[in-house]
Amino acid sequence: MTRSAARIAAVQFCFALGVAAIVLRAAQLQLVEGERWSAEAQQQRTERSVLPARRGAIYDRHGVPLAITQEFYHVGVAPNELTDRRGAIRLLARQLGLPPAAIERELARKRWAYWHGPYTATQVQPLRGLKGIHLDGNYRRFDPTRGLARTVVGGLVPETGRGASGIELALDSVLTGVAGEAVLLKDRSGRRYDSPSRRVREPVPGHDVYLTLDAALQEIAERALADAIVRLKADGGDVVVMDPGTGELLAVASQQAGQTLQRPSTLTDPFEPGSTAKLFTAAALLREAKVDSNDAVSGEGGVWVMQTGPRTSRRISDTHREHGKLTLARAIEISSNIAMAKFAQRLAPSEQYDMLRDFGFGSPTGVEFPSESRGRLARPDRWQPLYTRASMAMGYEFGVTPVQLAAAYGAIANDGVLLTPTLLREVRRADGSLVYRREPEPVRRAVSPTIAAQLREFMGRAVAEGGTGERGQLANFPLIGKTGTAKRLVDGRYVNEYTASFAALFPADDPQLVVIVKIENPKGEYYGGLTAAPITKTMLQQALASHRVAINRSALATAEAAQQSPAAATLPAAGPTATRSPAAVVPWPRPPVPTGPRALPVPDVQGTSIREAVLALHRSGFRVELRGAGRVARTSPGAGQPAAAGSVVTVWADS
């Protein structure tokens, strides 16, 4: 073989080796490692993204928003995609509030300009659908009412957006939606592009929760409590308003003086109820037939030394000094500690304990709140035989929360049936369809209707002229109630400070509301009849003056007419077992969706607050979807335009 032929053969051999190496490498990449390289390429071109789900809103019973999830946006611009650069710059400057020159500089020197904002849905609405402008949406929690019922509603964990306290925590699984998933496209520079066709799973929004709270009544309660704490120089206080016929809590207000972060003490902080608990000892005496209307004990002139043992005694005194005999009714009327301590000696400790337990003390009420206290109530085997029975009769040595006390007085109003108090009224899907509606939940019968009527009669005497609660009485629509004044227990010792309280049923004949007012350590006048009772009167007057509060005024008007009728005086008094109409609170106000295609004009709510707009739209028969915060800028459909009853009206607001 010649030298040239050898060189050609060598070149051919090397070429064959190269081809073989390429083929083998190609086979390795395609057949052996193909899946790995394909996945890596896919990863470089695409990215899986979690699509956040809207957290459900929290509304009051009328649809007033207490906590909503507001959508906000970041804005990105791809300059090479813009078809009308100058028009886009003018639009961006107007909607985002930025100088046009600054936007021009960003677009000139960047292939991708980005403005974090965040911007509201109202601001970015004109930018939607424009080529080259990309919107990145997200959610944040917003309080349209600026703190109304904040201790009840609670808050979120900033890092995770899950419930941290209050209703947000208790109903977190209901409010939290199911996140979606999408595949984002990426170019070689790493920029991401949303592709609607590549969505794997759409996000499912959380359910909306409608509470039993009445926003107007809640506002009245919070304002009255705040004013009273300042005026009385008190350490704090609580207000509870409940519907005795259903157990629905209409207002729950708590405030501690000098504290920025308030706690829901109506549900979490037990206190010794003092004389407001004397009715429950009276209930035990009546149930066990240990007293009748003619039984009476000596008032001892206002001071009595009770023997508690062979060598021990206890001094009990009354503010209202009585030298004669006191019946059980009179003892409740003047709130006599001496008489109640004497009457309590007729009860066995187990009888007294069982009655307190039957009214719900010493156990959680079952209200939908994560940190509710069970209160304090020791078993009878831990009592000091004579001492504790007298203390319990006067409202000491056990602790109740204001909500527990409201539920117990609700049982008195409800002919002896104890109901579970509730903050939850309804749960609805994002489209407005009903998921769950809570019904009243009876716990047990604490006393018979006859005894409940006797207890209401005692309460009526306590607020009549000469009673301890007369300063809480209204002129036109009378209420019944019981005052309480108890020394405070601090670090295991009683100090010279007091808790003033008042428990009322309104109106007297057919109670629609239970009102509990508690004031901690008022300065100056500290008796419940001089502090808590007038606050109750003020709140009820304001509630009657406000047509937004859920009170059945037709029932009140009927009762007032009956009282003013000349024939009313000749009618026989209703017996204790008379049938009482159910406690009436204005029912769910949202009009039912009509079956026919009836169209209604959208009301003009431009310029009003979100709360006013929501109320007006709900009353007109529409559902509401909120965009933004502050004053209403416009609605969709617009004001005056026809829309189907029950359809959604989008409200755009500017802060």
Side-chain angles (χ1 to χ4, degrees):
M1 179 182 295
T2 63
R3 184 176 299 178
S4 60
R7 284 199 298 268
I8 292 173
V11 170
Q12 290 176 337
F13 178 74
C14 292
F15 182 76
L17 286 178
V19 171
I22 292 173
V23 171
L24 290 174
R25 179 58 176 165
Q28 179 187 16
L29 293 176
Q30 293 291 331
L31 301 178
V32 180
E33 301 177 357
E35 291 186 4
R36 179 170 72 87
W37 290 110
S38 176
E40 185 173 331
Q42 181 74 8
Q43 186 177 3
Q44 291 177 353
R45 294 195 309 268
T46 62
E47 178 181 298
R48 288 188 175 269
S49 173
V50 174
L51 301 177
R54 181 184 68 84
R55 186 175 179 85
I58 299 176
Y59 300 98
D60 88 328
R61 65 191 298 112
H62 301 302
V64 176
L66 302 175
I68 60 175
T69 296
Q70 182 183 22
E71 195 171 13
F72 66 93
Y73 297 86
H74 313 298
V75 178
V77 179
N80 62 317
E81 297 179 8
L82 295 175
T83 55
D84 182 5
R85 190 184 183 100
R86 293 193 173 207
I89 291 173
R90 286 195 302 269
L91 185 60
L92 287 168
R94 183 173 67 251
Q95 296 305 123
L96 307 186
L98 299 172
I103 298 176
E104 177 65 42
R105 284 195 302 270
E106 288 290 306
L107 298 182
R109 61 191 180 91
K110 292 183 178 179
R111 298 173 61 186
W112 176 259
Y114 187 78
W115 289 274
H116 183 273
Y119 302 103
T120 66
T122 304
Q123 290 175 288
V124 303
Q125 179 63 20
L127 306 177
R128 294 180 184 273
L130 295 182
K131 189 174 181 180
I133 298 180
H134 304 267
L135 304 179
D136 181 16
N138 212 323
Y139 297 102
R140 65 178 174 184
R141 208 61 165 167
F142 177 67
D143 174 13
T145 60
R146 302 295 192 266
L148 188 69
R150 181 47 45 199
T151 57
V152 175
V153 174
L156 304 179
V157 179
E159 295 79 12
T160 63
R162 303 302 294 264
S165 61
I167 294 296
E168 294 277 22
L169 175 59
L171 302 180
D172 184 65
S173 60
V174 175
L175 293 163
T176 301
V178 179
E181 188 178 5
V183 176
L184 300 180
L185 303 179
K186 295 193 298 184
D187 62 14
R188 60 183 181 181
S189 300
R191 292 194 299 266
R192 297 169 178 82
Y193 299 93
D194 187 12
S195 175
S197 62
R198 289 176 175 262
R199 290 202 171 190
V200 178
R201 185 177 63 250
E202 292 290 339
V204 179
H207 294 325
D208 295 332
V209 170
Y210 290 80
L211 301 182
T212 60
L213 297 180
D214 184 312
L217 193 54
Q218 178 74 23
E219 189 173 3
I220 290 172
E222 290 186 5
R223 184 171 58 247
L225 181 60
D227 292 344
I229 290 174
V230 173
R231 177 170 48 84
L232 299 172
K233 299 181 174 63
D235 291 350
D238 300 292
V239 172
V240 176
V241 183
M242 191 184 81
D243 173 7
T246 62
E248 293 181 339
L249 295 169
L250 304 177
V252 180
S254 304
Q255 184 172 337
Q256 295 81 43
Q259 295 187 17
T260 303
L261 184 62
Q262 302 292 324
R263 64 180 184 276
S265 52
T266 50
L267 293 145
T268 60
D269 293 11
F271 71 104
E272 291 184 323
S275 296
T276 54
K278 288 176 179 175
L279 281 172
F280 309 116
T281 297
L285 289 163
L286 294 170
R287 188 172 72 175
E288 302 299 331
K290 298 295 179 70
V291 68
D292 60 35
S293 59
N294 297 319
D295 284 342
V297 296
S298 172
E300 304 291 347
V303 178
W304 178 47
V305 178
M306 182 184 73
Q307 292 299 126
T308 57
R311 297 184 180 85
T312 59
S313 62
R314 177 182 186 180
R315 185 179 185 273
I316 299 177
S317 61
D318 282 338
T319 302
H320 299 272
R321 298 178 181 272
E322 292 279 338
H323 293 275
K325 295 288 187 178
L326 296 174
T327 62
L328 183 60
R330 178 62 177 167
I332 297 293
E333 179 182 352
I334 66 171
S335 200
S336 172
N337 292 329
I338 294 172
M340 294 307 299
K342 287 185 174 183
F343 279 125
Q345 304 311 306
R346 305 182 183 186
L347 293 168
S350 60
E351 294 171 338
Q352 201 170 357
Y353 173 83
D354 287 345
M355 179 54 66
L356 293 173
R357 288 285 290 180
D358 285 348
F359 272 103
F361 302 128
S363 60
T365 65
V367 68
E368 305 85 358
F369 203 80
S371 54
E372 184 199 7
S373 171
R374 65 186 307 118
R376 301 188 307 272
L377 181 61
R379 296 196 306 268
D381 57 359
R382 298 181 180 178
W383 292 12
Q384 300 179 42
L386 295 174
Y387 195 97
T388 301
R389 272 189 289 173
S391 294
M392 293 280 188
M394 295 185 291
Y396 288 94
E397 292 197 39
F398 71 103
V400 304
T401 65
V403 168
Q404 283 180 321
L405 192 61
Y409 270 85
I412 296 175
N414 199 36
D415 281 338
V417 177
L418 179 70
L419 298 177
T420 300
T422 178
L423 285 165
L424 177 62
R425 186 177 178 90
E426 286 186 347
V427 177
R428 290 180 175 266
R429 297 183 182 88
D431 61 4
S433 59
L434 183 67
V435 176
Y436 170 78
R437 177 179 287 120
R438 198 181 192 283
E439 301 295 335
E441 293 185 7
V443 179
R444 69 180 69 87
R445 175 171 288 283
V447 291
S448 68
T450 302
I451 293 176
Q454 288 180 277
L455 297 177
R456 294 196 297 271
E457 181 183 344
F458 293 164
M459 293 174 66
R461 298 184 60 166
V463 295
E465 187 175 355
T468 58
E470 62 177 324
R471 290 183 62 175
Q473 190 59 267
L474 279 75
N476 295 330
F477 307 112
L479 56 78
I480 56 178
K482 183 69 187 76
T483 60
T485 308
K487 277 200 168 185
R488 297 180 71 196
L489 186 66
V490 179
D491 297 330
R493 299 183 60 184
Y494 287 100
V495 297
N496 196 30
E497 297 177 357
Y498 295 87
T499 298
S501 57
F502 185 59
L505 305 180
F506 174 81
D509 293 335
D510 187 12
Q512 298 182 34
L513 302 177
V514 178
V515 183
I516 304 294
V517 176
K518 183 198 78 171
I519 303 296
E520 288 286 348
N521 191 25
K523 309 302 187 297
E525 294 180 338
Y526 57 82
Y527 291 108
L530 302 178
T531 55
I535 297 171
T536 303
K537 177 180 180 179
T538 299
M539 287 194 305
L540 289 174
Q541 288 173 334
Q542 293 176 357
L544 288 169
S546 171
H547 290 285
R548 296 184 299 155
V549 175
I551 295 177
N552 189 339
R553 289 168 176 79
S554 61
L556 292 179
T558 303
E560 184 182 26
Q563 290 176 356
Q564 295 175 353
S565 172
T570 63
L571 295 175
T577 58
T579 302
R580 300 168 57 244
S581 59
V585 172
V586 173
W588 180 247
R590 295 169 63 147
V593 178
T595 55
R598 188 166 61 96
L600 299 171
V602 175
D604 185 3
V605 295
Q606 184 173 354
T608 64
S609 67
I610 286 180
R611 182 189 302 183
E612 294 169 336
V614 170
L615 280 173
L617 290 165
H618 275 307
R619 288 168 181 162
S620 298
F622 300 106
R623 296 200 301 272
V624 179
E625 183 175 342
L626 296 175
R627 291 288 185 269
R631 313 298 292 185
V632 175
R634 62 186 179 86
T635 61
S636 178
Q641 295 182 4
S647 62
V648 175
V649 174
T650 303
V651 176
W652 304 89
D654 289 326
S655 53

